[in-house]
Amino acid sequence: MIKENQKVLNKILVLLDIVSLVAAFVISWYLRMRSGFIPLEVGYLSFREYLLPILMIIPIYLVIYNYVGLYDPFRLKSMYDEIYGAVKGNVYGIIVFTVVLFIGKEIHYSRILLLLFGIISTLFACCERAIARGALRKIRRSGYNQKHIIFVGGSYLADEFMERLRSNKHWGYVVMGALDDNLPVNSKTPESVDIIGSLADLEPFLEQHNVDEVFITLDLKEYFKLKPVIRICEKFGVRTQIIPGYYKYIPARPYVEELDGLPVINIRYVPLDNILNKTIKRGFDILMSSIGIILTSPILIFTALMIKITSPGPIIFKQERVGLNRKSFTMYKFRSM
């Protein structure tokens, strides 16, 4: 049922995206060509000549939206993630649109209209996601569009997740109970999660009940039970997620690397390990430091003169420091510092 709801929601979002892109173009065209706010050049294109490229680029926009995750379930996504995805998708879209116009040699297509379209389409996408998010939260709080889940393992992990569910009722999760080999049936965990059976009951339970997701919350010492649990969930096509017992020792967003087919969880993400990020960071450092030196040069010159006048000795003091990859470098600063 949840999967069907998601399909319907995605169809609605796609339709709204198409409407919002067309509306963004119409508003942009009006502001550029008819509002009188922006002076017009002689010999501009007709409305039809402006509209056709937009209609051709809309499918590409939808592909980009899907690529950046705007059609993924956002039950657990933060508002920041939604807005960031909408902005990123529209930035990618306007870049592709510009490239397409360049390749098609559409040299008379208004650059101002293109800029307005990029801004307005981004605002529309952000507002659309915010409204859809608010509507879905209200629906879930009313008891609709909910996910029925069970825990495999009645450890402290199930209790911690249950505590978060109580604080975020808009997620729309209904906990049916937990299966555990160490706690008696019909008992409760400290966070009042009902123990409804043992792990041996997982297969008949999935067969008899409509379960949307299974959260594996086994203690680390019970991880040898993972394989049969995952096999049973795969058999019934139930989405399975693992809350690892070592989550307290890893950052909020670890990343997984692969060593010849062996997955390795890297607990420290260093953005500058990426060559593109490193290049952007280096360019930003050089640019901003150059601007900073130019802007503060009168103060620097005045400081140097004051040091020279008021005390004997060199103006600049240098010292060896250890930097990136333990490489030594020479640091320079005013002697007064």
Side-chain angles (χ1 to χ4, degrees):
M1 185 63 182
I2 289 295
K3 291 180 180 178
E4 294 301 319
N5 291 344
Q6 186 62 43
K7 289 179 181 178
V8 172
L9 175 62
N10 283 344
K11 289 178 181 178
I12 294 173
L13 287 176
V14 168
L15 181 60
L16 289 175
D17 285 334
I18 294 173
V19 171
S20 66
L21 287 169
V22 174
F25 161 74
V26 172
I27 294 172
S28 302
W29 180 85
Y30 175 80
L31 291 175
R32 177 68 183 94
M33 301 297 172
R34 291 290 183 269
S35 66
F37 296 133
I38 305 171
L40 286 175
E41 300 90 359
V42 178
Y44 55 84
L45 301 177
S46 66
F47 177 81
R48 182 176 177 275
E49 289 173 311
Y50 277 120
L51 178 62
L52 285 178
I54 292 288
L55 297 179
M56 293 173 61
I57 205 70
I58 282 178
I60 298 177
Y61 260 84
L62 298 179
V63 171
I64 293 172
Y65 283 0
N66 184 65
Y67 171 75
V68 298
L70 289 184
Y71 299 128
D72 293 344
F74 47 82
R75 186 179 295 262
L76 302 180
K77 282 186 179 180
S78 66
M79 179 63 76
Y80 170 80
D81 290 333
E82 282 293 311
I83 299 301
Y84 177 72
V87 172
K88 184 165 66 172
N90 280 278
V91 169
Y92 289 167
I94 205 68
I95 290 173
V96 172
F97 193 12
T98 304
V99 171
V100 169
L101 291 175
F102 177 78
I103 294 174
K105 297 181 179 179
E106 292 285 348
I107 59 174
H108 298 296
Y109 206 94
S110 172
R111 303 299 183 266
I112 297 177
L113 188 147
L114 200 61
L115 176 62
L116 290 172
F117 173 74
I119 295 171
I120 296 173
S121 63
T122 301
L123 291 175
F124 278 7
C126 292
C127 292
E128 177 190 329
R129 260 64 194 178
I131 293 171
R133 182 186 184 85
L136 283 174
R137 286 191 171 192
K138 188 174 182 179
I139 290 171
R140 290 176 191 136
R141 286 196 183 100
S142 301
Y144 300 99
N145 191 39
Q146 294 187 328
K147 277 191 175 182
H148 293 79
I149 67 172
I150 62 170
F151 296 122
V152 174
S155 68
Y156 70 96
L157 297 169
D159 280 338
E160 291 199 17
F161 190 41
M162 191 68 186
E163 185 179 354
R164 286 162 175 76
L165 290 181
R166 289 200 180 99
S167 302
N168 298 276
K169 292 183 179 180
H170 57 270
W171 288 351
Y173 282 109
V174 176
V175 178
M176 305 172 73
L179 303 174
D180 191 89
D181 289 338
N182 305 309
L183 298 172
V185 179
N186 296 326
S187 63
K188 293 180 181 290
T189 67
E191 285 292 332
S192 299
V193 178
D194 295 321
I195 304 301
I196 56 177
S198 64
L199 268 64
D201 299 316
L202 177 60
E203 187 165 355
F205 190 89
L206 292 180
E207 192 171 9
Q208 297 168 14
H209 297 83
N210 184 19
V211 179
D212 295 305
E213 286 189 33
V214 172
F215 283 87
I216 298 177
T217 51
L218 292 169
D219 197 77
L220 283 173
K221 62 185 179 182
E222 296 184 284
Y223 268 30
F224 66 93
K225 302 175 182 178
L226 277 175
K227 187 174 181 179
V229 169
I230 294 173
R231 178 182 56 79
I232 292 171
C233 293
E234 288 293 315
K235 176 182 176 181
F236 288 93
V238 178
R239 185 181 180 187
T240 309
Q241 301 194 63
I242 300 175
I243 302 178
Y246 49 83
Y247 81 93
K248 291 183 178 179
Y249 309 107
I250 59 179
R253 294 190 177 184
Y255 68 101
V256 179
E257 295 179 310
E258 189 175 304
L259 300 178
D260 195 21
L262 179 67
V264 178
I265 300 176
N266 199 318
I267 63 173
R268 185 170 183 264
Y269 175 62
V270 182
L272 293 182
D273 286 344
N274 182 292
I275 187 64
L276 178 61
N277 291 340
K278 187 183 292 185
T279 303
I280 294 173
K281 173 68 164 58
R282 183 59 177 164
F284 179 83
D285 288 345
I286 293 174
L287 176 63
M288 297 309 295
S289 60
S290 299
I291 293 174
I293 290 173
I294 293 172
L295 292 177
T296 59
S297 56
I299 300 175
L300 298 178
I301 294 172
F302 177 77
T303 303
L305 290 173
M306 289 298 100
I307 293 172
K308 189 65 176 177
I309 294 172
T310 57
S311 61
I315 297 174
I316 300 296
F317 168 77
K318 63 181 181 178
Q319 187 179 47
E320 190 175 272
R321 294 287 181 91
V322 177
L324 182 65
N325 297 325
R326 298 183 180 180
K327 292 183 179 179
S328 298
F329 70 96
T330 303
M331 179 192 70
Y332 297 92
K333 61 181 181 179
F334 289 123
R335 181 164 48 83
S336 61
M337 298 172 65

